[in-house]
Amino acid sequence: MNQEGFWYSVGRGFHTLFEGLEWTYDHLTPNKILIVVGFLCFGWWLKMQSDYNRKAKETGGLK
């Protein structure tokens, strides 16, 4: 079997990619990933609200 060439390297690349995805799924379940993403989005939203409130306070607008 010839283990050289373009298609062999493409197949080997996909194999390595899927092994990495398997490891990720085994160690980082989708629930853990969604919890982290949720906390990040919540923190981003709080920062946006803080900036908005600070700007409203400085300009005398509605808070």
Side-chain angles (χ1 to χ4, degrees):
M1 179 175 190
N2 188 6
Q3 295 185 354
E4 314 179 345
F6 175 74
W7 290 114
Y8 178 78
S9 61
V10 169
R12 190 74 187 140
F14 277 116
H15 185 267
T16 305
L17 173 71
F18 292 137
E19 279 182 342
L21 289 174
E22 254 183 61
W23 179 89
T24 303
Y25 188 78
D26 289 343
H27 292 85
L28 297 173
T29 59
N31 288 340
K32 291 177 186 175
I33 293 170
L34 288 175
I35 289 170
V36 169
V37 168
F39 273 111
L40 290 174
C41 289
F42 182 69
W44 175 62
W45 177 76
L46 281 176
K47 179 169 177 357
M48 264 184 24
Q49 288 296 322
S50 172
D51 293 344
Y52 176 80
N53 288 339
R54 186 173 4 92
K55 183 179 175 186
K57 189 175 183 181
E58 290 171 357
T59 61
L62 294 175
K63 193 171 178 185

